[in-house]
Amino acid sequence: MNQDAMKQQVAAAALQQIPDDIVLGVGTGSTVNALIKLMCEQRKRLTACVSSSEASSALLRAGGYEVLDLNTAGDLSLYVDGADECDPNRCLIKGGGGALTREKIIAAASKRFICIIDASKQVPVLGTFPLPVEVIPMARSYVARELLKLGGEPMWRENFTTDNGNQILDLGRLQIHDPMALEDTINSIAGVVTVGLFAHRAADQVLVASADGVVEL
Ligand code: 5RP
């Protein structure tokens, strides 16, 4: 089974876990796009959505869903999103699509966070996927120098601006044995908006698609 088919499968499994008539937190990326497509096709009944990116908001609106600002919606009962890597403790690397800051905010404001991935995203130790760090533009070089001191290799994601008007450094060559400590360390560098490590607020539930079907981690 190819990766796209696995994304479809895990999106279908997630859809079954979403109650009707809630305000749903919706993430960003191709796996979430598969979920949005299914929601639209099956006319999933929702009160509204809160989304982590302009791209997801556009798809949701095109499908007839109301997209609320988080300030209006308040806390959410459920957030569904993908990830770039997931370790055995459900800690995640996110932000491959550049939406990490809004994703982290929605995850924090949600009672339950279901992460949907295919088996290629499961790793024993986070860090093979370069860790995204959203930075204020004027701080980019300073933050890159600080990240170098941590032993990683920061790369500027050129020609990319986040929905918040910021830039991204992707930090490669890491083996993240203590995700909570690294999340704290990177978040405390001046100029960092967010690091795409979801350790303090890990996923509550991870649905993993493989050739054998969907299982819960
Ligand atoms: C976007 C994200 C995505 O969840 C992550 O990149 C996974 O994307 P995909 O489902 O396309 O593999 O964090 O910022």
Side-chain angles (χ1 to χ4, degrees):
M1 188 185 298
N2 66 28
Q3 204 179 17
D4 275 351
M6 287 193 257
K7 288 180 183 190
Q8 302 284 341
Q9 258 200 359
V10 78
L15 186 58
Q16 289 182 352
Q17 305 235 4
I18 302 172
D20 283 343
D21 302 321
I22 62 163
V23 178
L24 177 67
V26 178
T28 298
S30 54
T31 316
V32 166
N33 288 351
L35 173 64
I36 295 174
K37 188 163 177 278
L38 280 179
M39 281 165 44
C40 297
E41 283 168 3
Q42 298 185 17
R43 298 181 176 276
K44 175 70 187 172
R45 233 176 58 200
L46 294 173
T47 305
C49 300
V50 171
S51 132
S52 69
S53 64
E54 300 301 328
S56 292
S57 295
L59 289 175
L60 289 164
R61 288 198 179 100
Y65 291 101
E66 184 181 4
V67 180
L68 297 177
D69 184 277
L70 184 65
N71 294 306
T72 308
D75 284 347
L76 306 178
S77 57
L78 179 61
Y79 176 49
V80 183
D81 199 357
D84 300 299
E85 276 188 356
C86 175
D87 80 5
N89 298 316
R90 301 188 303 275
C91 293
L92 311 170
I93 287 183
K94 291 184 48 52
L100 58 156
T101 300
R102 295 187 186 193
E103 289 169 345
K104 203 174 259 199
I105 294 166
I106 299 177
S110 298
K111 192 154 188 275
R112 190 155 68 105
F113 171 16
I114 301 179
C115 181
I116 50 176
I117 56 172
D118 64 75
S120 69
K121 312 273 186 78
Q122 274 186 298
V123 294
V125 176
L126 299 172
T128 302
F129 188 93
L131 176 63
V133 182
E134 180 166 352
V135 297
I136 299 289
M138 72 164 283
R140 190 188 67 242
S141 302
Y142 167 72
V143 173
R145 290 194 296 280
E146 292 299 303
L147 294 175
L148 264 177
K149 292 180 194 166
L150 299 176
E153 192 175 89
M155 286 283 295
W156 176 24
R157 202 183 291 183
E158 286 188 69
N159 304 317
F160 182 86
T161 303
T162 70
D163 285 347
N164 311 308
N166 296 316
Q167 297 177 345
I168 301 255
L169 293 167
D170 291 303
L171 188 56
R173 293 189 184 280
L174 289 177
Q175 284 278 294
I176 307 173
H177 292 287
D178 189 345
M180 281 198 197
L182 188 66
E183 186 175 0
D184 288 338
T185 301
I186 295 180
N187 275 337
S188 70
I189 300 171
V192 167
V193 179
T194 327
V195 59
L197 259 179
F198 285 56
H200 285 284
R201 205 296 177 236
D204 299 306
Q205 223 179 319
V206 180
L207 301 179
V208 188
S210 71
D212 301 328
V214 177
V215 292
E216 188 170 333
L217 184 74

